[in-house]
Amino acid sequence: MSEKQPCTYRQTRFHRFHGYNLSLHEQDTVAHREMSFANAIVFSEQSLSPGEVFLIEIESSENGWSGHIRLGLTQLDPDALQRSGHLLPQCAIPDMVSNKTMGESWICALTKHQAWYDANYLTNYFRLDGNHVFTSRGTFPTSILKSSGHEKMDILPTDVGSRVGVLYLPCGQNMAVMHFIINGEFVVPLSRTIPYNDGPIRAVIDVYGATKRVRVIQVYNVNSLQSACRETILKNIKAASVSKLPLPNALKEYLLYKT
């Protein structure tokens, strides 16, 4: 009998092709705009399956700019763009939405106030059930969708610490609806005309305006108390400071995703 292999998890990351004002950190899980207010578009590394949630947290902001992060879905292929030598546009809105020659995109600007509704989904791809969310990629606790350390009414969607997720759900033959989940609450559906069978769909983020830095939240990696503790530690210290912690080397390597 062959030895049973341990369960493996694919870490969710940003794609390495991005706007020239953006830099990636911590194994491509953090996107930081270095200067100005634009040229900071980035994609999910992998395409999303129906019902799969791509979740980010706003880590820092910068005063003096108007507008905030833009988020959505796209059929634009960053690998093909990189091979062809194309540069990404300055802004996701309106550039990516209006120019469909490279692929269609469905993107919305995040504002301080959104229209909420009580979602009660029960589909083959996404299901809310008490304290857990069941999706096409895996199951995770609903608590991970909420901003840590804030009460529901205590944080605005554009604040530092806010968690924003995007997903799409089929609603007919080759048509899907794009949804946002902001700090655990559903936003009124944003687009109903996504032809999801026409090509791979990725999440797209524009670290725009007052939003300065965002982090991918590992929704599907939280399979143990140990991994949850790692996420909490890395939210409170910089990765460069892990080596100074009074911990065994094996734990330090785990915190840095080296094991």
Side-chain angles (χ1 to χ4, degrees), residues 112 116 147-148 150-163 182-183:
K112 292 183 178 181
W116 312 105
S147 173
S148 58
H150 293 81
E151 295 297 329
K152 175 182 174 182
M153 303 302 294
D154 204 19
I155 185 170
L156 296 175
T158 54
D159 284 349
V160 170
S162 181
R163 290 189 174 185
I182 303 179
N183 298 317

Side-chain angles (χ1 to χ4, degrees), residues 97-114:
V97 175
S98 59
N99 184 0
K100 300 180 181 181
T101 57
M102 296 180 294
E104 287 202 71
S105 298
W106 305 267
I107 304 169
C108 295
L110 201 63
T111 62
K112 292 183 178 181
H113 303 285
Q114 306 286 160

Side-chain angles (χ1 to χ4, degrees), residues 207-233:
V207 188
Y208 178 85
T211 306
K212 184 73 171 176
R213 182 181 177 101
V214 299
R215 174 186 296 274
V216 176
I217 300 300
Q218 301 301 323
V219 172
Y220 299 102
N221 276 26
V222 185
N223 61 310
S224 66
L225 176 61
Q226 187 179 36
S227 58
C229 290
R230 173 171 61 184
E231 181 188 351
T232 301
I233 291 171

